[in-house]
Amino acid sequence: MITTEPAHRTLLVRPPSPALADGELTHLERVPVDAALAAAQWARYVDVFRDLGWAVRELPAADQHPDGVFVEDTVVVFDDLAVLTRPGALSRRGEIESMRPVAAATGREVAEITEPGTLEGGDILKVGRTVYVGRTLRTDADGAAQLRALLEPRGWTVVEVPVTKALHLKTAVTALPDGTVIGYPPLVDDPSVFETFLAVPEAEGTAVVVLDRDTVLLSEGAPGTAALLRERGLTVRTTPVSEFEKLEGCVTCLSVRVR
């Protein structure tokens, strides 16, 4: 039974499916994925948060959903509101049902993107009180409009961003603790959309998870970006996510961080 629990520093995750290699692909060629290595990398990823005192809530396995490990796409949290998404990929819509009771257990109001709109969490980037919404093959105009209607009365500013070179907005850009947006220029349609933009040297370096105001988590596959961020005074934790990167995944999409 899922019970209501405090939302402070809770990590929502789902273990990878043995069928991970069959996940959706849009911009990359399919290459072999090692399911055993993926499971080990996922466990190491979760341990980073455990080591820093995060509570971990593991969703039920969804072996029938190859992309189920990418839980960020199924719910997005804004203050006291949790928004269940409606994935643009038909194969992923069955993932929402098991997220619904978990979202409710955070004690937040739960809203939902409804038909015909589509929206995936990987297309949502929060910087301060601004929410950038990537317009992609997975998030459409109706989904973005529904999110705007939910958030603007709550004091958020919603900005739509064109994304044509990457699967999700957060495949192309994420944000540092000070609000600087970072991205790999070949994947970014229009850097001028963001108030402050910093180019990083690797595609694997576009995704950071902010752990606290001085610390970020980054893919082990982006040593140049790690060095750049350390030069800016940040503490950088790295973890291997190579098997998920083969499926257009990254360190952000493997979890939902509830604070």
Side-chain angles (χ1 to χ4, degrees), residues 93-116:
R93 292 186 185 163
E95 299 170 27
I96 300 299
E97 284 308 307
S98 58
M99 177 57 81
R100 183 175 283 107
V102 177
T106 68
R108 289 166 166 79
E109 177 185 347
V110 178
E112 192 162 354
I113 302 300
T114 59
E115 189 178 358

Side-chain angles (χ1 to χ4, degrees), residues 197-220:
F197 178 80
L198 173 68
V200 300
E202 300 127 329
E204 296 83 0
T206 62
V208 297
V209 174
V210 174
L211 299 174
D212 59 43
R213 64 182 182 181
D214 301 308
T215 310
V216 296
L217 177 64
L218 181 69
S219 167
E220 193 174 79

Side-chain angles (χ1 to χ4, degrees), residues 83-87 93 96 100 110-119 140-147 149-150:
V83 179
L84 293 169
T85 69
R86 185 169 182 268
R93 292 186 185 163
I96 300 299
R100 183 175 283 107
V110 178
E112 192 162 354
I113 302 300
T114 59
E115 189 178 358
T118 62
L119 184 141
D140 66 11
D142 188 271
Q146 289 185 45
L147 189 67
L150 288 168

Side-chain angles (χ1 to χ4, degrees), residues 28-72:
L28 298 180
E29 295 294 326
R30 195 170 297 276
V31 297
V33 173
D34 185 328
L37 178 56
Q41 291 182 344
W42 179 84
R44 184 169 168 182
Y45 171 90
V46 173
D47 281 344
V48 171
F49 293 86
R50 281 201 178 102
D51 290 347
L52 293 172
W54 289 65
V56 176
R57 175 168 286 281
E58 188 173 316
L59 275 75
D63 290 351
Q64 73 276 28
H65 293 292
D67 288 306
V69 69
F70 302 125
V71 291
E72 181 183 55

Side-chain angles (χ1 to χ4, degrees), residues 82-167:
V83 179
L84 293 169
T85 69
R86 185 169 182 268
L90 290 174
S91 65
R92 302 201 60 187
R93 292 186 185 163
E95 299 170 27
I96 300 299
E97 284 308 307
S98 58
M99 177 57 81
R100 183 175 283 107
V102 177
T106 68
R108 289 166 166 79
E109 177 185 347
V110 178
E112 192 162 354
I113 302 300
T114 59
E115 189 178 358
T118 62
L119 184 141
E120 295 189 1
D123 282 321
I124 307 303
L125 176 63
K126 292 176 283 187
V127 181
R129 300 296 294 179
T130 297
V131 178
Y132 294 100
V133 181
R135 286 291 307 282
T136 65
L137 295 175
R138 303 292 185 87
T139 295
D140 66 11
D142 188 271
Q146 289 185 45
L147 189 67
R148 185 188 301 276
L150 288 168
L151 296 184
E152 288 192 340
R154 296 171 178 262
W156 294 85
T157 298
V158 176
V159 178
E160 293 184 38
V161 179
V163 179
T164 63
K165 302 176 182 180
L167 174 64

Side-chain angles (χ1 to χ4, degrees), residues 11 42 78 80-81 111 130 181 183 247:
L11 192 78
W42 179 84
F78 307 89
D80 59 351
L81 176 70
T130 297
V181 173
L247 294 162

